[in-house]
Amino acid sequence: MVLDPVPLQLFAEYFPNGISRYAIGGLFVGLGASIIYLGTGISAGASTFLESTLSYVSGRSRFQQYVSSRDWRLVFTVSIIAGAAIYSLTFGDNFQYSTDVQVWRLFVGGILVGVGTRVGKGCTSGHGVCGVGSASRTSLIGVATFLLVAIGTAQLVAAMGVSP
């Protein structure tokens, strides 16, 4: 049996640097989320980690619900940044990331994502990694919605000729 080369060519087009870095990254993300869940019984969603960090500076009840678990959540959040820094320094990236996207677009996008995480009761990391992994119906619907809206938006923007 001979494999059709077309899917392999499409695969190479979408992953010009190979798929191994994404597979290894996904393995680490899944392992980290598993360790947090097994150790605490809590899904490792980034928006909840941000809210727990805000409990240090805000007395609002919404943030104070995390006071009992905020210390380990802060350590986890700092560790995410440290892990990226260690990788970058080890493999020579030296934080030389840049974008041609205008600041106002990043700002508006960030606001929309922030509002979406509150309306959707969590972010893509919580729903996508932990929720889908635990077969949560809410998360499956949320992730399907994220993907459909993202794909539709990307196609619409590309058709309009808008670039970063």
Side-chain angles (χ1 to χ4, degrees), residues 32-68:
S34 297
I35 289 169
I36 292 295
Y37 187 74
L38 290 171
T40 66
I42 298 171
S43 295
S47 62
T48 306
F49 285 89
L50 176 61
E51 281 191 56
S52 69
T53 304
L54 292 173
S55 71
Y56 285 105
V57 296
S58 173
R60 296 187 71 187
S61 61
R62 128 174 247 108
F63 303 125
Q64 293 305 306
Q65 66 182 328
Y66 302 108
V67 168
S68 64

Side-chain angles (χ1 to χ4, degrees), residues 60-121:
R60 296 187 71 187
S61 61
R62 128 174 247 108
F63 303 125
Q64 293 305 306
Q65 66 182 328
Y66 302 108
V67 168
S68 64
S69 64
R70 70 183 179 186
D71 293 338
W72 72 261
R73 290 175 192 257
L74 181 62
V75 170
F76 182 76
T77 303
V78 169
S79 297
I80 291 172
I81 297 165
I86 290 167
Y87 175 87
S88 183
L89 295 171
T90 302
F91 294 101
D93 290 345
N94 296 321
F95 300 107
Q96 295 182 20
Y97 299 105
S98 65
T99 182
D100 293 331
V101 178
Q102 293 122 346
V103 173
W104 72 269
R105 288 183 180 176
L106 294 171
F107 183 77
V108 169
I111 296 291
L112 291 172
V113 168
V115 169
T117 62
R118 295 297 16 115
V119 171
K121 303 279 190 224

